[in-house]
Amino acid sequence: MTNQYAIVLAAGKGTRMKSKLYKVLHPVCGKPMVKHVIDHVKNLGIDKIVTIVGHGAELVKEQLGNESEFALQAEQLGTAHAVIQAAPLLKDLKGTTLVICGDTPLISSETIAALFKEHERLGAKATILTARLEDSTGYGRIVRSENGSVVKIVEHKDATEEERSIKEINTGTYCFDNQALFDALSKVNNENAQGEYYLPDVIEILKQNDEIVAAYQTGDFDETLGVNDRYALSQAEEHMKKRINKKHMLNGVTIIDPNSTYISADAVIGADTVIYPGTMVYGHSTIGEDCQIGPNTEILDSEIGNNTVIKQSVVHNSQIGNNGAVGPFAHIRPESNIGNDVRIGNFVETKKVSFGNGSKASHLSYIGDAEVGENVNLGCGSITVNYDGKKKYLTKIEDNVFVGCNSNLIAPVTIKKGSYVAAGSTITDNVPENTLSIARARQVNKEGYIK
């Protein structure tokens, strides 16, 4: 196999999106479009990826990090002009180069691999990824000879009536012999109505040199969808959602209503987990086996163990162990580390907390900036009072502690193991081991007061 490279075109602003966010950064199923493209390309073990940036260059670079090298197209003068910006990084290398747009998030690694394979099998200098479309209005048509070889690409506006009847269209994704590509790019001119340098002109230049130009037709036009406006973005979202949900269902996950379930492309879900309607799983979330998630639950960049139930709750940037129960209406905020066999009940909020195995806060509590040991019971309305208006402080609750209802634990404070806190107490001092702590005024009855 020859060396393989990729050029990802991501310089355009995308004016038809009518957005302050640059086009390729618009998310599809929670991930920017250009990141989808980069990930599909990376899956093939490509030797070098160069992303052409322009509008929003720094934001695109920040999003992709070290997953790509970058070349700047300071002025957008067409697709050929964009590709030639990669010359300092690629032009002297031997191999095959993929040119793909950063606004085609649905294209799969399998389709890209098939394009490479066909290109190299035929020994072509260029291979066009094509698709069949019944209504091909507006697309460039692939004109083939009787033996099936590519004669030319003709744009819709320039096509004859016979050519307009062709159903095979150019998707805008190509493979090239790398050195032939950059040699031809030097000959592309901008003698057209838009005054731009167009990549399809490379195909014509190669044909004039009697080079082999091939085409590989994908069986799924939807994969090639380019996103240019918000309507196309919604179409890409719908197709991606179906693809992701299907993958999980074929891997043993039950999704009760796929139409109302949104799962990110990077999420991992174990077999025999059941996802109920209205559930949204974002980012790099991992959910174990035999879980019940939802309905109406949001999970972001979190790790959920096996056999855990989360109902009508929000979990962000946190970990929840095995055999847990969360919700309904719980809010697990970032940096919550919930152990095994833990119960976080309705209207409980946690933040930056560790919860030991077997502990529970069943209802109406706020537990923030706290270390909670094992087998702790936090009664209804228990609060860790962690903020004095300037700083936040830590509450430590050791193993086997029982905290009664409506108790305030004023941080910094430590409740030592085996202790009890009486209901209605406001604790400001440390509580020793195996101690009952009562911090409330004695009841006083004023007889006859109502009269």
Side-chain angles (χ1 to χ4, degrees):
M1 180 186 292
T2 62
N3 290 335
Q4 295 179 338
Y5 316 108
I7 298 173
V8 179
L9 305 182
K13 183 177 182 180
T15 55
R16 281 182 281 174
M17 298 296 287
K18 294 181 170 58
S19 174
K20 294 181 288 295
L21 184 65
Y22 300 105
K23 180 172 70 169
V24 297
L25 295 179
H26 277 266
V28 173
C29 288
K31 182 193 291 187
M33 288 191 283
V34 69
K35 185 66 167 61
H36 279 289
V37 175
I38 292 289
D39 287 349
H40 297 323
V41 171
K42 279 185 63 183
N43 286 341
L44 302 177
I46 299 294
D47 296 284
K48 186 189 286 283
I49 301 173
V50 179
T51 301
I52 310 301
V53 294
H55 291 287
E58 293 307 314
L59 293 175
V60 175
K61 289 181 181 180
E62 181 182 342
Q63 181 61 234
L64 299 182
N66 60 5
E67 295 181 284
S68 172
E69 297 180 55
F70 300 95
L72 178 66
Q73 186 188 23
E75 188 177 5
Q76 279 69 59
L77 298 176
T79 49
H81 179 259
V83 172
I84 208 167
Q85 306 310 308
L89 297 169
L90 291 176
K91 70 175 182 178
D92 296 326
L93 302 178
K94 291 184 178 180
T96 302
T97 296
L98 171 77
V99 178
I100 187 169
C101 294
D103 62 359
T104 54
L106 297 173
I107 195 164
S108 66
S109 299
E110 292 76 13
T111 295
I112 298 171
L115 177 63
F116 269 116
K117 184 177 180 180
E118 182 72 356
H119 175 82
E120 293 172 3
R121 182 183 72 84
L122 295 172
K125 294 299 183 182
T127 303
I128 309 157
L129 180 66
T130 70
R132 181 176 174 82
L133 188 60
E134 287 304 315
D135 181 6
S136 51
T137 303
Y139 288 90
R141 310 305 205 282
I142 304 299
V143 180
R144 293 180 182 260
S145 66
E146 289 183 0
N147 66 8
S149 64
V150 174
V151 175
K152 62 179 177 178
I153 303 172
V154 59
E155 296 303 320
H156 178 86
K157 63 181 181 297
D158 300 321
T160 65
E161 285 302 314
E162 182 180 359
E163 289 168 339
R164 289 184 179 185
S165 68
I166 295 171
K167 305 300 182 185
E168 187 178 15
I169 58 100
N170 177 21
T171 68
T173 297
Y174 309 86
C175 271
F176 294 98
D177 174 273
N178 187 66
Q179 292 183 325
L181 168 63
F182 285 100
D183 181 63
L185 282 170
S186 66
K187 302 171 185 176
V188 173
N189 62 56
N190 64 343
E191 295 173 3
N192 53 61
Q194 283 71 36
E196 295 187 351
Y197 300 87
Y198 292 130
L199 188 59
D201 289 352
V202 169
I203 302 297
E204 183 63 26
I205 291 169
L206 293 173
K207 288 296 294 182
Q208 290 172 1
N209 293 336
D210 294 323
E211 302 287 6
I212 298 174
V213 174
Y216 171 75
Q217 185 178 127
T218 175
D220 184 0
F221 167 76
D222 292 336
E223 276 199 25
T224 70
L225 178 69
V227 175
N228 291 311
D229 54 36
R230 303 296 181 108
Y231 177 68
L233 183 67
S234 72
Q235 289 180 302
E237 180 88 18
E238 183 68 18
H239 289 305
M240 183 69 77
K241 182 183 73 170
K242 288 180 178 178
R243 179 191 297 178
I244 292 169
N245 289 351
K246 180 180 178 180
K247 177 192 74 173
H248 287 295
M249 289 186 283
L250 293 178
N251 286 336
V253 177
T254 296
I255 300 179
I256 301 298
D257 182 7
N259 290 331
S260 66
T261 302
Y262 297 83
I263 302 172
S264 84
D266 296 318
V268 177
I269 305 176
D272 292 316
T273 284
V274 180
I275 308 293
Y276 289 91
T279 293
M280 294 165 285
V281 182
Y282 298 122
H284 293 268
S285 293
T286 300
I287 299 172
E289 299 180 351
D290 302 295
C291 294
Q292 297 179 44
I293 309 296
N296 304 318
T297 291
E298 179 181 305
I299 297 173
L300 169 66
D301 289 329
S302 295
E303 183 177 337
I304 315 299
N306 299 322
N307 199 38
T308 288
V309 177
I310 303 177
K311 295 181 177 179
Q312 292 152 316
S313 295
V314 174
V315 182
H316 283 189
N317 303 94
S318 294
Q319 294 178 306
I320 299 173
N322 302 323
N323 307 307
V326 175
F329 313 117
H331 189 182
I332 310 300
R333 290 171 57 193
E335 298 183 63
S336 294
N337 189 348
I338 312 298
N340 300 325
D341 304 293
V342 170
R343 164 70 173 154
I344 303 293
N346 52 293
F347 303 106
V348 173
E349 181 178 351
T350 69
K351 189 271 297 181
K352 201 174 183 180
V353 60
S354 62
F355 245 88
N357 297 336
S359 293
K360 57 184 177 180
S362 296
H363 27 230
L364 299 164
S365 291
Y366 170 72
I367 313 298
D369 295 285
E371 297 175 2
V372 179
E374 297 186 355
N375 301 312
V376 170
N377 183 87
L378 298 174
C380 177
S382 298
I383 305 294
T384 58
V385 185
N386 59 332
Y387 184 49
D388 67 0
K390 292 184 178 179
K391 295 182 179 180
K392 294 186 177 180
Y393 301 91
L394 180 67
T395 298
K396 294 184 179 180
I397 304 171
E398 296 185 354
D399 297 347
N400 303 306
V401 166
F402 183 98
V403 178
C405 295
N406 292 325
S407 293
N408 299 308
L409 309 180
I410 311 296
V413 70
T414 297
I415 315 299
K416 303 292 283 186
K417 63 183 180 181
S419 295
Y420 273 54
V421 173
S425 293
T426 296
I427 302 299
T428 57
D429 299 319
N430 294 340
V431 178
E433 290 186 15
N434 303 314
T435 298
L436 171 62
S437 182
I438 305 172
R440 60 192 185 208
R442 287 193 171 276
Q443 180 174 332
V444 176
N445 295 331
K446 302 288 187 179
E447 294 186 12
Y449 176 83
I450 300 304
K451 287 185 179 179

